[in-house]
Amino acid sequence: KNIAILASGSGSNAEEIVKYFADSKKGKVALIASNKKDAFVLERAKKLQIPHFTFSKSELESGELVQKLQEAKIDWVILAGFLLKIPSNLIQAFSDRIINIHPALLPKYGGKGMYGMHVHHAVKNAGDQESGITIHLVNEHYDEGKIIFQAAVPVSAEDSPEDIAAKVHKLEYKYFPNVIESLL
Ligand code: GRF
């Protein structure tokens, strides 16, 4: 199965997924695409020798990106730190084949504004005793698709938002590639 990863930022999850699938029989990362020309994920793609390109918001919304993904014979679309809303043209073309990871225990701390460090500040400010990850299918509504997997990690009052982010990233790297493979 061919996997495409869409990412807007650093791409540490993308790198973990590429490495994991390097010796998987069930799938491979065929391409990495970003909506940000300067996204570090593109540097990682270069180093990992994965075909990569950038696209604009209008190409995402016009269906041009879907066309490129179909031409590349992509079977699954993985969102790993992708910050744009997925338009219905992409959802229709890859129905139940788009997976997102959210760095919190949905339905808590979901929604448009909850990206990057915002989530971890919110968990800290709420005094929550745990945080974690949610891997879910993507539908028309932000962070509301069918939940496939969740894992939690304890959070203490001494933890800074950065400490929480580090704990959550560890969960992401440990589980995301594996959960993707289990769906292929
Ligand atoms: C991750 O925490 C992911 O859960 C969230 O955005 C972050 C992306 O980090 N969606 P990276 O770009 O994979 O390093």
Side-chain angles (χ1 to χ4, degrees):
K1 295 288 181 197
N2 288 324
I3 295 166
I5 301 176
L6 306 187
S8 305
S10 167
S12 67
N13 274 284
E15 177 150 357
E16 292 302 316
I17 294 164
V18 169
K19 286 175 173 168
Y20 180 92
F21 279 94
D23 48 19
S24 162
K25 303 221 173 343
K26 295 178 74 178
K28 74 179 175 81
V29 176
L31 68 87
I32 291 176
S34 181
N35 59 305
K36 295 267 183 211
K37 289 203 177 330
D38 58 352
F40 190 65
V41 66
L42 297 168
E43 294 308 312
R44 294 182 196 260
K46 281 189 191 95
K47 187 187 66 174
L48 295 161
Q49 300 186 310
I50 303 288
H52 50 281
F53 61 84
T54 55
F55 58 89
S56 65
K57 191 161 186 252
S58 62
E59 284 172 299
L60 171 65
E61 290 173 350
S62 69
E64 284 169 80
L65 177 64
V66 164
Q67 210 154 358
K68 287 183 101 170
L69 295 174
Q70 289 170 331
E71 279 159 16
K73 299 198 180 336
I74 295 301
D75 300 296
W76 286 83
V77 177
I78 307 302
L79 309 183
F82 184 67
L83 297 182
L84 296 181
K85 189 162 172 28
I86 300 299
S88 53
N89 71 66
L90 182 51
I91 291 172
Q92 307 309 328
F94 289 92
S95 172
D96 283 349
R97 293 280 182 281
I98 307 173
I99 305 171
N100 183 45
I101 188 165
H102 186 72
L105 295 169
L106 291 177
K108 293 181 79 171
Y109 311 112
K112 189 164 173 34
M114 283 294 175
Y115 60 88
M117 288 302 295
H118 297 282
V119 183
H120 309 304
H121 278 279
V123 166
K124 169 93 189 151
N125 295 341
D128 287 10
Q129 314 231 316
E130 65 173 7
S131 190
I133 60 170
T134 303
I135 297 170
H136 62 95
L137 293 179
V138 171
N139 66 20
E140 257 90 359
H141 311 288
Y142 254 107
D143 297 332
E144 289 179 12
K146 176 173 171 275
I147 291 179
I148 295 167
F149 176 83
Q150 289 191 299
V153 64
V155 171
S156 76
E158 292 74 49
D159 282 334
S160 68
E162 288 68 25
D163 295 329
I164 299 171
K167 290 179 177 182
V168 168
H169 268 305
K170 275 208 188 78
L171 287 182
E172 294 174 337
Y173 305 155
K174 179 176 177 191
Y175 292 109
F176 198 15
N178 213 293
V179 168
I180 293 166
E181 188 181 48
S182 71
L183 292 165
L184 300 188

